[in-house]
Amino acid sequence: MADPLRLGIAGLGTVGAGVVKIVRQKADLLSARAGREVVITAVSARSKSKDRGVNLSSYAWEDDPVKLAQRDDVDVFVELMGGEDGPAKAATEAAIKAGKDVVTANKAMLAMHGQALAELAEKHNKIIRFEAAVAGGIPVIKALTEGLAGNTITRVMGVMNGSCNYILTRMQSAGLTYKEVFAEADGLGYLEADPQLDVGGIDAAHKLAILSSIAFGTQVNFAGIALEGIENVTIEDINHAADMGFKIKLLGSAQMTGRGLEQSMAPCLVPATSPLGQLDGGTNMIVLEGDHVGQIMLRGAGAGEGPTASAVMSDVMDLARGIRLPTFGQPAATLEAPKTAAAATPAPYYLRMSLQDKPGALAKVATALGDAGVSIDRMRQYDHADAMAPVLIVTHTTSSEALVAALDALPATGVVNGAPVALRIEQI
């Protein structure tokens, strides 16, 4: 049997402790499947005395993760500290320069520095693996780099943040406002220390940037994502969308077009009966479309100790078996800097607006939409107690340019109160 694969784990939070548990509890199974032992030799975290529910006494301790990354008795540096820069990035770079392969769950670091890290790894003939960085326990990275390697990927789409999905589904099921469910989710520990990473769509956008790079053979381009969080989604929007057969999801979407790479992360409507529409709670779902395979869907737990630690171990096991792939599925030098394109693929839209309750108001709105080239599929007006009437419109498929022109023209009608809400409808 080959020599053991020796791990150095930096970061002993929920995921790090989960990895330690798997290595300790599944030692025989891992050895049988990898053809060699997988062992932990050293660990690092901010506090040595903290009780993590797992015995660490047999492992060497390093206060400094950079020193851990440079240890002679470490073959694979497992980075589970998180953070775009700081100790995580410094230790990852140190590990590569010291001749170690790296396994990480750090989506922010890869989204912002992925190209430079990939180039550094290839320069030193080392490997960076990161299955746990996207969608928790769902093996979407492996699906793209290996299972679908013979396909030209045409679109990547999905719900990539379980906390946002929990908030939106909880709002609908309990009839609560965004602020009420946000406070509930925060109290349950579902949100990041900086909640804006979740509800602002940043966490999900990091994941989308990584998937886009692999899917379309481009350098990671987080800055090119059109980003909108869920803070402005109201219970009224959720209820009205449900009344018309839709659910609202924070949806990531990326596709390569003749104009460049379209990437967006924003609240969208999906049919309530679709797989994405039926996705409740903290679950994630990734939809991949390829020219030969067609459409496939991967669904599962997007976070948590077990699922994320499982994803970390999938990378560790590949390295133990000698499977070595370029960081983003192809050599870093072949990844092109993408041209950013605004999302312009035609789609139907959901519009909510408040109209003056007087004769001719709807006709003026319909005329403004029609003059801009936006056709109405469905329209609904709700009962109201004041002079302003809530009106919902679902358009036929239209371009984003036509929609923007229509929205710009509505104030001139003199019958629309405030700014209309416009959400894209994705057909899955």
Side-chain angles (χ1 to χ4, degrees), residues 146-168:
E146 298 180 39
L148 301 180
N151 285 257
T152 296
I153 303 300
T154 54
R155 184 167 70 157
V156 175
M157 176 182 290
V159 171
M160 304 176 192
N161 183 277
S163 299
C164 286
N165 201 51
Y166 169 83
I167 289 173
L168 293 172

Side-chain angles (χ1 to χ4, degrees), residues 103-105 110 128-146 211 298 307-308 310-316 318:
V103 171
T104 180
L110 291 169
I128 302 175
R129 300 298 297 260
F130 50 91
E131 186 66 70
V134 179
I138 302 175
V140 63
I141 303 299
K142 188 180 290 287
L144 280 171
T145 56
E146 298 180 39
L211 293 180
L298 303 172
T308 310
S310 171
V312 171
M313 288 307 301
S314 74
D315 287 336
V316 169
D318 275 354

